[in-house]
Amino acid sequence: MTEPPGNLPSILHRLNVVGQSVVVAVSGGADSVAMLRALLAVQSECSLQLRVAHFNHGLRGAESDEDARWVADLCERLGVVCDLGVADHETLPQSTGSREGDARRLRYQFLERVATTNDCQSIAVAHTADDQAETVLHRILRGTGLTGLIGIPQVRRLDSGVNLVRPLLGLRRQSLRQWLREIGQDFREDSTNTDRDFTRNRIRHDLLPLLEEQFNPQVKSALCRLAEQAEQTQIVEDFAANELLQTATIDRTGTSWVLDCEPLTDCPVAMVRTCLRLVWTEMGWPQQKMSFQHYTRLQEAICDPMRRGEISLPYPVQARLTRRKRQQSLELRVESND
């Protein structure tokens, strides 16, 4: 059998997946089918326990139902246990503002539920280097900061303790499809992947090919390198910001964090903003509501010795600057519902 592209055993060792029970998220598309076949090819060598999970979003009617049947049949032929989930859009309220966003949220909830129910340590999803390039470019177009340039992380720890891993993130989509052809493995095509109403599809099918043809044939590789460099820079900055945050912290509870402004006043503005972002992360506050302008507003208030009172922030976090005994402090708090 033709070997899968890339050095998958080495990747799995680096991701600490070797010897684990893994949920393999399979949509039926080329990337996820290639990931399943590749993991099966190294299953014995890497001591993997694999089970497939497929989530029927229900957004494409009969086509979605056929995808689910196709994945179930594939798993039966390959001898892999398959868990099927179905979205119930009628009874579950929207939270992201789009059906696609809600479907994605429900899918990850289903994957995590399958993993925890079956004592699996990791969930493998099939994002590729092409997905990384598209994500970084999409965020640049929307006006992202340094954190957004990191793009898709290769490993993310979920609240349940399960790791979400992306073993194909360094591989190109084209090489995966070529390998599937070599081994005679078919796959499903999602009709929405060519719908130009979606910004990501316009980036994939129109903008990136234009950039490759007229500006830089290696633009996808360049975007992936940018993501990697941004991640390494963020690691260093977070390490320094954590130390600064410990020095500046006066008090912390389950609903509040009080900072001494003095240690932060003479720091670079980017470092102060990173400290504030870490506070939101540690407290589990909704970061999607916090824009660059909100963090800048807080940073400027911290560095203004004459500033007092409330600082306007998105619900549910409240911010207040106070001064007692020559110490200026910033209190960040979420009011209790009691």
Side-chain angles (χ1 to χ4, degrees):
M1 175 179 173
T2 305
E3 291 294 323
N7 188 345
L8 191 56
S10 176
I11 293 171
L12 296 177
H13 273 283
R14 180 164 50 82
L15 299 179
N16 296 317
V17 177
V18 172
Q20 289 191 349
S21 296
V22 181
V23 173
V24 186
V26 178
S27 66
D31 298 343
S32 64
V33 171
M35 179 177 67
L36 172 60
R37 293 299 306 264
L39 289 173
L40 285 170
V42 301
Q43 180 176 16
S44 178
E45 178 182 353
C46 296
S47 302
L48 301 175
Q49 306 296 320
L50 303 176
R51 67 185 303 130
V52 165
H54 173 86
F55 189 69
N56 183 350
H57 298 88
L59 296 178
R60 291 176 287 116
E63 186 179 341
S64 294
D65 295 338
E66 182 57 32
D67 286 347
R69 285 191 290 270
W70 188 92
V71 170
D73 290 343
L74 173 66
C75 290
E76 185 175 1
R77 293 197 304 271
L78 296 175
V80 184
V81 174
C82 180
D83 296 282
L84 298 176
V86 182
D88 186 349
H89 295 281
E90 298 300 322
T91 60
L92 289 168
Q94 287 190 341
S95 62
T96 65
S98 73
R99 283 172 61 86
E100 292 76 20
D102 287 328
R104 188 181 307 110
R105 174 178 57 86
L106 294 174
R107 173 176 176 253
Y108 279 103
Q109 289 176 350
F110 167 71
L111 293 174
E112 192 168 5
R113 188 161 59 249
V114 171
T116 55
T117 301
N118 294 283
D119 296 322
C120 297
Q121 295 83 39
S122 294
I123 300 168
V125 292
H127 292 108
T128 66
D130 297 81
D131 294 307
Q132 181 72 295
E134 293 160 11
T135 297
V136 172
L137 183 55
H138 192 186
R139 292 182 180 181
I140 290 173
L141 295 174
R142 291 187 302 180
T144 187
L146 179 62
T147 302
L149 290 179
I150 295 173
I152 307 171
Q154 193 159 30
V155 181
R156 181 163 67 91
R157 187 81 163 176
L158 302 177
D159 291 340
S160 62
V162 175
N163 281 334
L164 186 70
V165 299
R166 298 177 169 93
L168 306 184
L169 198 59
L171 303 179
R172 294 293 300 272
R173 189 177 293 136
Q174 183 178 2
S175 68
L176 296 172
R177 291 195 173 217
Q178 175 60 35
W179 181 62
L180 289 178
R181 286 192 290 270
E182 291 175 2
I183 65 174
Q185 174 64 63
D186 60 342
F187 52 86
R188 299 280 293 174
E189 291 282 7
D190 186 338
S191 60
T192 63
N193 285 340
T194 58
D195 187 347
R196 260 48 172 205
D197 287 340
F198 296 105
T199 301
R200 180 176 284 274
N201 286 343
R202 295 198 300 276
I203 290 173
R204 174 180 299 179
H205 299 297
D206 300 328
L207 181 54
L208 273 169
L210 176 67
L211 293 174
E212 288 176 320
E213 179 183 349
Q214 299 191 17
F215 294 92
N216 180 1
Q218 302 300 320
V219 65
K220 289 182 180 178
S221 297
L223 289 166
C224 289
R225 284 198 305 273
L226 178 62
E228 184 179 354
Q229 292 165 3
E231 182 179 26
Q232 294 303 315
T233 300
Q234 192 70 70
I235 290 171
V236 174
E237 187 173 286
D238 283 358
F239 180 80
N242 264 311
E243 292 191 335
L244 177 59
L245 193 57
Q246 291 181 26
T247 301
T249 297
I250 297 173
D251 185 42
R252 175 184 175 182
T253 69
T255 58
S256 68
W257 199 312
V258 183
L259 297 171
D260 181 0
C261 295
E262 184 177 0
L264 303 172
T265 301
D266 296 326
C267 292
V269 295
M271 185 66 69
V272 178
R273 285 196 294 263
T274 299
C275 285
L276 294 168
R277 178 178 56 79
L278 291 175
V279 169
W280 257 254
T281 300
E282 288 288 324
M283 297 299 288
W285 293 338
Q287 296 197 52
Q288 66 272 19
K289 296 182 179 181
M290 286 291 291
S291 66
F292 178 83
Q293 287 74 20
H294 289 123
Y295 285 120
T296 298
R297 186 181 304 162
L298 281 173
Q299 176 268 320
E300 290 175 346
I302 286 172
C303 297
D304 183 354
M306 305 305 294
R307 186 73 180 269
R308 303 286 186 278
E310 302 287 337
I311 303 167
S312 177
L313 292 178
Y315 178 85
V317 183
Q318 299 178 350
R320 182 177 180 82
L321 275 171
T322 59
R323 188 173 182 86
R324 295 188 182 91
K325 297 180 181 180
R326 298 183 180 180
Q327 182 186 56
Q328 181 150 304
S329 62
L330 172 70
E331 181 180 19
L332 300 163
R333 174 181 296 276
V334 170
E335 291 298 327
S336 173
N337 293 326
D338 295 340

